[in-house]
Amino acid sequence: DQQVKQNSPSLSVQEGRISILNCDYTNSMFDYFLWYKKYPAEGPTFLISISSIKDKNEDGRFTVFLNKSAKHLSLHIVPSQPGDSAVYFCAASVGAGKSTFGDGTTLTVKP
Amino acid sequence: DTEVTQTPKHLVMGMTNKKSLKCEQHMGHRAMYWYKQKAKKPPELMFVYSYEKLSINESVPSRFSPECPNSSLLNLHLHALQPEDSALYLCASSQEPAFSYEQYFGPGTRLTVT
């Protein structure tokens, strides 16, 4: 049973527009969520996180929204830039416990 | 310095070889991790070291042997690997041994077992 799902393997967006990456989870005990970005031949890089006591966290062009009732979180990138093209992983954990990663979404931002 | 370094970048080894992967961080982080990542899959946790002690072993086969010589270094000793062990091996560290803390990943070692 995959507890964290990223149902869209890929997403293509025009430069300057909004990118919305989605993540669904099944374990209602998850209370901390993180997004990582990964370029080819590099390790993942932390982007942004949110705890379950919040429903939104913003950092520059990146905003994460959490809908606990729907067990859904999304990452918004506005405006999208070609350098944002990468694989994006969401991860969830229960307290300090082990993170569970989604399978990732490949974002392509076209100039 | 917010970097995690890993050596070597690429490694090709036979099934009877013994080799080691190395990881280093100088951020004063107290937790270090080994992950394995296959193509188009998320990172898969292998080991966690917390304050230089092994705290999590995700039922990894004994042909993988981790070692944490000090708070900045993490090794992964490899022996008698199988071709299916070919993958990207990622090292990461975090300020505290809790997954709610962001992890800093190294670039990985691309391992091919022939």
Side-chain angles (χ1 to χ4, degrees):
Chain A
D1 176 33
Q2 193 169 3
Q3 297 187 66
V4 178
K5 292 182 185 179
Q6 294 176 254
N7 290 317
S8 299
S10 62
L11 174 68
S12 183
V13 169
Q14 206 67 35
E15 181 179 7
R17 306 296 289 268
I18 184 171
S19 295
I20 300 176
L21 296 104
N22 294 306
C23 181
D24 295 296
Y25 60 95
T26 57
N27 187 346
S28 57
M29 298 297 289
F30 285 142
D31 58 0
Y32 207 83
F33 305 88
L34 305 96
W35 284 94
Y36 287 88
K37 175 171 81 172
K38 186 180 185 301
Y39 293 118
E42 293 184 15
T45 303
F46 170 78
L47 261 182
I48 193 168
S49 63
I50 189 167
S51 75
S52 59
I53 62 172
K54 292 185 165 185
D55 53 20
K56 177 183 173 182
N57 189 24
E58 196 171 348
D59 184 1
R61 296 186 299 113
F62 302 91
T63 303
V64 58
F65 295 92
L66 176 61
N67 182 333
K68 290 185 285 294
S69 60
K71 296 191 184 70
H72 176 83
L73 68 156
S74 60
L75 175 68
H76 292 212
I77 307 173
V78 184
S80 301
Q81 299 172 353
D84 296 328
S85 298
V87 179
Y88 289 78
F89 292 100
C90 68
S93 65
V94 178
K98 188 183 85 165
S99 284
T100 300
F101 284 84
D103 282 348
T105 296
T106 300
L107 173 66
T108 303
V109 180
K110 297 178 180 177
Chain B
D1 181 8
T2 58
E3 196 180 15
V4 175
T5 58
Q6 288 187 246
T7 55
K9 282 193 176 209
H10 300 275
L11 178 63
V12 179
M13 61 185 289
M15 290 189 283
T16 58
N17 291 160
K18 281 188 182 179
K19 296 285 184 185
S20 296
L21 310 185
K22 295 185 185 305
C23 173
E24 194 165 358
Q25 58 88 12
H26 294 287
M27 294 176 277
H29 286 176
R30 306 321 304 259
M32 295 186 78
Y33 311 78
W34 279 116
Y35 286 87
K36 173 181 172 180
Q37 186 175 26
K38 292 276 205 177
K40 300 191 185 301
K41 288 293 184 185
E44 187 180 324
L45 183 67
M46 299 174 73
F47 302 103
V48 180
Y49 271 83
S50 169
Y51 292 88
E52 301 165 48
K53 294 198 185 313
L54 183 64
S55 61
I56 294 178
N57 177 341
E58 288 287 299
S59 302
V60 179
S62 59
R63 57 185 184 269
F64 295 91
S65 174
E67 178 197 19
C68 189
N70 60 54
S71 59
S72 300
L73 292 173
L74 186 66
N75 298 322
L76 185 63
H77 302 298
L78 314 172
H79 174 54
L81 295 194
Q82 304 296 310
E84 60 264 29
D85 296 322
S86 297
L88 180 68
Y89 287 84
L90 294 163
C91 172
S93 69
S94 64
Q95 184 180 338
E96 292 293 334
F99 286 82
S100 51
Y101 282 85
E102 64 182 89
Q103 295 184 28
Y104 291 77
F105 285 84
T109 294
R110 175 71 60 189
L111 174 68
T112 303
V113 182
T114 60

